[in-house]
């Protein structure tokens, strides 16, 4: 899971009148809420989203032109990616470039050195793990040396995406000499600066970057040059839908939740629910904007998935998050998976699977959550939150596995097929419905508890100076989820 997304629109709250509106619009009428919150949010969203769509559509059109005029000019595509990516970063971040530049250059230098001097040697530590250690160390030191916490909060996510790209590149090129031969300074720069995902993500592999803008195999050249009207309309519809979903979640996070919860916010759990939901919807805003950015930059409108439905398929490379799966979770594992799908795949592919064989499943899970935490930098609240989530996912998985074995029931963290032949009690039996509903309620409770510690309108605070209030929301809730976690762990041993 990752929580860096809300850092990008803090500038909306930098204006005193808008900050005041955020603080006081709870007591306003619906007309005043629209005037003081909805309208400013819409102005911000329009300006912010337009940058992503315009630059990425321009990039897509230029790629189509270059691909038509110079079919084999791969260097031109990398150069276009560099120019458009740099322009987008300048438009939406406009500061902190030196952090991005030094991390990108130094990561390439480290990988080049390791490939040149350590390739083929009987080394005990593999090259990717050296790159991980250097990259995370560089990230943490840079954050410590940055004098302005606000500046770092704005670039935190961009640095994280850069590091994820470089680390995946280290793994992919460690043993794949064919892919390594395609890694040049220009191709690396194009991959790192790709406008589709340089700012908000999502992560895509170097191989995906190299192939996503190539004409798909099996498609006639004439068809590639003239995409069908249906495919083009589907592509545009998906871009527009993603943009509208992003705006909707932004308005929900900024304005509607406070307005709707205000009449009953005297109860601490209602306040916690409002904070948590506001945080989650701010994440969905950036997730859908990232999805919109990816599709706007995609020059390939001929994928087989375009033929199936006007909606984006679940298996699509461009899908970032699944709000329904998060808001109505069967298990916390489902929340972790659906919160940020590309990052989940990255952690599973490069961290969990790589460490599972030598260290075992338990250690691999722990290392996965540790690496996920460190990728976010010095964000102590997030470290504790991810540690809690990791503990809960492990305990829930083991308890449900034991219950499924003892009672031969379909109560595992993953849903059993309708024709399950392993368990006697099927998913629609009263026993399974009751058990699954209890875990559903537990996961909703944890979504409230774990999310309320974050504010959608803040980046990570200067937490070293705020240790006393860092876990204030959890203190108000008497650390209920942590006590319940201890009870669940003891229950696991008892049964």
């Amino acid at each position: 899971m990752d929580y860096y997304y809300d850092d990008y629109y803090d500038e909306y709250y930098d204006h005193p009148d808008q900050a005041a509106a955020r603080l006081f619009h709870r007591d306003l009428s619906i007309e005043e809420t629209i005037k003081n919150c909805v309208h400013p949010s819409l102005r911000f969203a329009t300006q912010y989203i337009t940058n992503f769509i315009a630059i990425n559509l321009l990039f897509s059109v230029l790629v189509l032109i270059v691909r038509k005029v110079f079919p084999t000019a791969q260097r031109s595509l990398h150069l276009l990616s560099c120019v458009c990516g740099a322009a987008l970063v300048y438009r939406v971040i406009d500061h902190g470039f030196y952090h991005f530049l030094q991390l990108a250059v130094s990561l390439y230098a480290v990988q080049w050195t390791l490939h040149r001097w350590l390739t083929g040697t009987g080394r005990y530590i593999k090259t990717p793990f050296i790159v991980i250690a250097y990259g995370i160390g560089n990230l943490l030191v840079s954050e410590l040396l940055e004098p302005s916490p606000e500046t770092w909060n704005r670039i935190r996510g961009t640095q994280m995406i850069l590091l994820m790209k470089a680390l995946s590149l280290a793994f992919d090129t460690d043993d794949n000499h064919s892919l390594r031969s395609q890694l040049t300074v220009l191709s690396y720069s194009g991959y790192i600066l790709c406008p589709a995902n340089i700012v908000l993500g999502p992560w895509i592999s170097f191989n995906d970057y190299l192939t996503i803008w190539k004409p798909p195999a099996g498609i006639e050249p004439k068809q590639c040059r003239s995409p069908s009207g249906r495919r083009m309309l589907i592509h545009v519809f998906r871009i527009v839908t993603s943009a509208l979903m992003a705006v909707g979640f932004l308005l929900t996070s900024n304005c509607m939740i406070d307005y709707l919860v205000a009449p009953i916010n005297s109860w601490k759990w209602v306040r916690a629910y409002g904070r948590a939901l506001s945080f989650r919807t701010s994440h969905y805003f950036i997730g859908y904007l990232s999805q919109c950015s990816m599709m706007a930059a995609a020059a390939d409108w001929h994928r087989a998935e375009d033929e199936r439905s006007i909606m984006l398929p679940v298996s699509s490379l461009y899908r970032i998050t699944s709000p329904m799966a998060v808001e109505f979770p069967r298990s916390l594992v489902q929340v972790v998976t659906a919160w940020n799908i590309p990052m989940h795949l990255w952690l599973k592919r490069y961290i969990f699977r790589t460490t599972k064989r030598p260290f075992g499943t338990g250690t691999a899970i722990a290392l996965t959550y540790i690496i996920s935490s460190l990728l976010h930098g010095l964000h102590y609240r997030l470290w504790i939150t991810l540690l809690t989530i990791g503990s809960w996912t492990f305990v829930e998985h083991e308890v449900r596995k034991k219950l499924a074995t003892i009672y031969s029931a379909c109560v595992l963290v993953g849903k059993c097929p309708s024709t399950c032949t392993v368990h006697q009690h099927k998913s629609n039996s009263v026993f399974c419905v009751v058990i699954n509903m209890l875990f559903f309620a537990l996961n909703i409770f944890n979504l409230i508890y774990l999310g309320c510690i974050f504010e959608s309108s803040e980046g990570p605070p200067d937490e070293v100076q705020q240790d006393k209030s860092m876990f204030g929301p959890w203190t108000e809730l008497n650390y209920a989820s942590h006590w319940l976690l201890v009870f669940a762990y003891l229950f696991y041993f008892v049964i």
Side-chain angles (χ1 to χ4, degrees), residues 171-430:
F171 279 100
D172 291 340
T173 59
D174 186 41
D175 298 315
N176 190 335
H177 294 278
S178 175
L179 188 63
R180 188 187 303 178
S181 65
Q182 302 181 67
L183 180 61
T184 64
V185 173
L186 186 58
S187 64
Y188 173 82
S189 301
Y191 174 52
I192 294 300
L193 292 169
C194 179
N197 57 4
I198 182 175
V199 177
L200 305 177
W203 164 82
I204 60 172
S205 68
F206 183 60
N207 190 58
D208 286 333
Y209 165 75
L210 292 176
T211 60
I212 196 172
W213 289 287
K214 289 182 180 179
I219 302 295
E220 296 296 328
K222 183 177 179 181
Q223 187 179 4
C224 286
R225 288 193 297 266
S226 303
S228 69
R230 171 180 167 76
R231 285 173 175 164
M232 184 178 295
L233 287 176
I234 288 175
H235 196 75
V236 172
F237 174 81
R238 290 173 177 173
I239 294 173
V240 173
T241 301
S242 297
L244 292 177
M245 290 290 289
V247 172
F249 281 119
L250 176 65
L251 296 180
T252 301
S253 176
N254 282 359
C255 309
M256 301 314 299
I257 292 175
D258 285 340
Y259 179 79
L260 295 174
V261 171
I264 53 173
N265 69 353
S266 57
W267 190 31
K268 62 183 180 182
W269 281 100
V270 173
R271 293 195 299 272
Y273 173 79
R275 288 195 299 266
L277 183 59
S278 182
F279 167 70
R280 294 198 302 275
T281 49
S282 71
H283 167 78
Y284 303 148
F285 159 64
I286 298 297
Y288 274 96
L289 178 53
S290 175
Q291 180 174 298
C292 174
S293 178
M294 278 289 294
M295 289 189 291
D300 180 7
W301 298 344
H302 307 276
R303 292 178 175 269
E305 64 186 25
D306 285 350
E307 297 289 343
R308 303 173 187 174
S309 169
I310 62 173
M311 303 307 295
L312 195 65
V314 175
S315 59
S316 174
L317 176 67
Y318 309 130
R319 182 171 289 276
I320 311 302
T321 187
S322 177
M324 290 296 292
V326 174
E327 298 300 320
F328 301 96
R330 177 184 176 89
S331 65
L332 273 184
V333 173
Q334 178 178 311
V335 174
V336 172
T337 303
W339 179 262
N340 187 327
I341 298 170
M343 185 171 189
H344 168 73
L345 295 176
W346 187 92
L347 290 168
K348 183 178 180 180
R349 180 188 302 182
Y350 299 111
I351 308 300
F352 179 76
R353 288 179 179 172
T354 305
T355 57
K356 180 180 179 181
R357 180 175 295 179
F359 302 117
T361 302
T363 303
I365 292 174
L367 288 173
T368 300
Y369 278 97
I370 290 172
I371 295 298
S372 177
S373 301
L374 293 175
L375 284 174
H376 293 81
L378 301 173
H379 197 333
Y380 308 119
R381 289 183 181 181
L382 184 130
W383 289 2
I384 300 299
T385 301
L386 286 179
L387 177 62
T388 306
I389 292 173
S391 301
W392 261 118
T393 53
F394 174 77
V395 171
E396 182 187 9
H397 179 274
E398 295 302 314
V399 168
R400 296 181 77 156
K401 181 180 179 181
K402 193 174 261 191
L403 290 174
T405 302
I406 294 173
Y407 298 103
S408 185
C410 294
V411 295
L412 295 169
V413 293
K415 187 176 182 180
C416 293
S418 56
T419 57
C420 178
T421 59
V422 177
H423 302 118
Q424 180 181 352
H425 297 284
K426 308 303 179 186
S427 297
N428 56 359
S429 67
V430 175

